[in-house]
């Protein structure tokens, strides 16, 4: 089985992302994950704006973050994303946040596909199945 | 001329709204203004979600904030909004942020009306003219 | 065993909290949880700003959110918080987000205590043990 | 007189930065300005974290934004910053937000210097005067 493909995006910590503890507020990691997911789709040749233009939304049904070390203003952090589970109606992404070699946080998001009109759950758009399955590698659902 | 009507909303400062200086990050006041504007429309009997449902958007074209004293986590601040200028295609709201009697910030936003479909500039929806003019009081444009 | 105490806070959805899907962006629930946690501490007679003034920080080590139904601009949502686990060095809060009777989301956060100076892990401040244990009810750790 | 120096930073629009109008919420431009200001200081050889480490804060006293065209998810926007006014105790930055050649927004922020301890207004740190004056070019105060 091929390895799952990983995409990564570098983010310069914004001052507004800090809080009065002096480091990045924990909610911002959720936005960082989304940025890595956007990059993953773009790297896959399936930019997320194009998915929405096709009439589909990839709705978030769950998010988890585990924090190991704080990130600081002045840091550049790297967020990586990969497909952790892939099924016809649902998928799960896994993430890592690093500053250089240091692992700052890990996490995951779960999603299901929705038709933009009517907002009813649907199967993954036909045109995305092959590329997403290829990217998912060993994470591909049976 | 009647006095312009003012609406006010109380906001409990959120931890996420602080930054590493130890007080509320300045960008959050823009979101607070919006909350006071929402309250103003609701108090006026014209809830902003109803305006959008009518097919109109009140697009922001300018924002200004002047900061006098910081707000802190643990504070409850009061944001007041009133119409400062009212014309058929544009309007301006003015805001004050207070903690008790202390004036923390002042500001303003400018807007124009857009039809939701097509996003072209339009005149203020007919049904809002009388109530907005009444609320604007002396600020009503000639 | 007594029931765990629950605190709740009402939040008016902010326009800025929506995204182009037309409902509240999922990251905002993390900030809402924090607001409910703040209310919990205040209701418990231990305002979180007072905890920081004592020299302690309650650092977030994990967050989880499970989304069931979207929240919309115009909604008022109620976020409730309770202690789900309590140990001398760690604790876990559980949350629910409701719009009236509808359950929109559930979640949890995990924390450990840190001394503000030096940022080393410590036991829960002595003065908080009895009140937190009382609030935790059946969730109290053995 | 030399031209003022301009720094620029590219930002990939985040999904969380959009709102239900379908474009970037106006408050995010304030955070983008800050990112360009951070880059300006770094380009000037005076990273802002180093300024804070010296014991100084550059507190925001005013912000203005004028919006011309919306930014969308999927866009990469360029935010440029330059010193518009420079005095011993205050300074003003000016900003432009562009998508390619299109000017999306302009704005400014005003600041004064504060000693981190005690939060009293002070003159610009000695070590920053020459580099900031050089960068300010024709904008240098008399």
């Amino acid at each position: 089985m091929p390895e799952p493909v990983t995409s990564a995006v570098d983010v310069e910590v914004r001052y507004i992302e800090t809080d009065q503890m002096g480091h990045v507020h924990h909610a911002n990691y959720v936005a960082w994950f989304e940025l890595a997911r956007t990059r993953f789709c773009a790297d896959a040749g399936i930019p997320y704006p194009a998915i929405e233009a096709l009439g589909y939304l990839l709705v978030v049904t769950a998010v988890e973050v585990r924090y190991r070390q704080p990130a600081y203003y002045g840091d550049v952090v790297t967020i990586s994303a990969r497909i952790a589970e892939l099924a016809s109606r649902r998928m799960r992404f896994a993430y890592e946040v690093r500053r250089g070699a240091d692992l700052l946080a890990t996490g995951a998001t779960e999603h299901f596909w929705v038709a933009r009109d009517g907002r009813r759950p649907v199967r993954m758009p036909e045109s995305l199945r092959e590329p997403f399955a290829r990217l998912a590698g060993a994470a591909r659902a049976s």
Side-chain angles (χ1 to χ4, degrees), chain A:
Chain A
M1 270 297 198
E3 279 298 291
V5 172
T6 296
S7 275
V9 59
D10 284 343
V11 169
E12 189 182 329
V13 169
R14 301 178 177 189
Y15 202 90
I16 196 175
E17 292 175 329
T18 64
D19 66 25
Q20 69 184 38
M21 281 198 199
H23 51 66
V24 173
H25 187 276
H26 59 283
N28 294 293
Y29 291 69
V30 178
W32 291 354
F33 287 175
E34 188 169 63
L35 212 45
R37 202 160 64 238
T38 292
R39 181 64 55 91
F40 183 93
C41 292
D43 284 353
I46 317 161
Y48 188 73
I51 294 176
E52 291 202 344
L54 282 175
Y56 296 92
L57 300 171
L58 189 53
V59 174
V60 178
T61 54
V63 63
E64 308 158 19
V65 194
R66 192 153 289 273
Y67 306 92
R68 291 160 176 261
Q69 292 184 57
Y72 297 98
Y73 176 64
D75 288 348
V76 174
V77 294
T78 304
I79 304 103
S80 64
R82 62 180 174 82
I83 297 177
E85 291 175 35
L86 183 67
S88 63
R89 294 178 173 275
R90 321 190 142 268
M91 63 190 301
R92 181 179 170 94
F93 282 93
Y95 308 89
E96 289 184 354
V97 180
R98 291 181 183 273
R99 181 182 49 229
D102 290 341
L103 182 62
L104 305 187
T106 57
T109 54
E110 292 181 9
H111 304 261
F112 70 103
W113 294 95
V114 166
R116 197 170 191 166
D117 296 336
R119 300 293 164 103
R120 63 184 193 290
V122 293
R123 287 176 185 277
M124 187 190 314
E126 185 77 37
S127 58
L128 306 183
R129 286 179 202 175
E130 188 278 325
F132 267 25
R134 188 169 27 83
L135 295 164
R140 187 182 180 178
S142 59

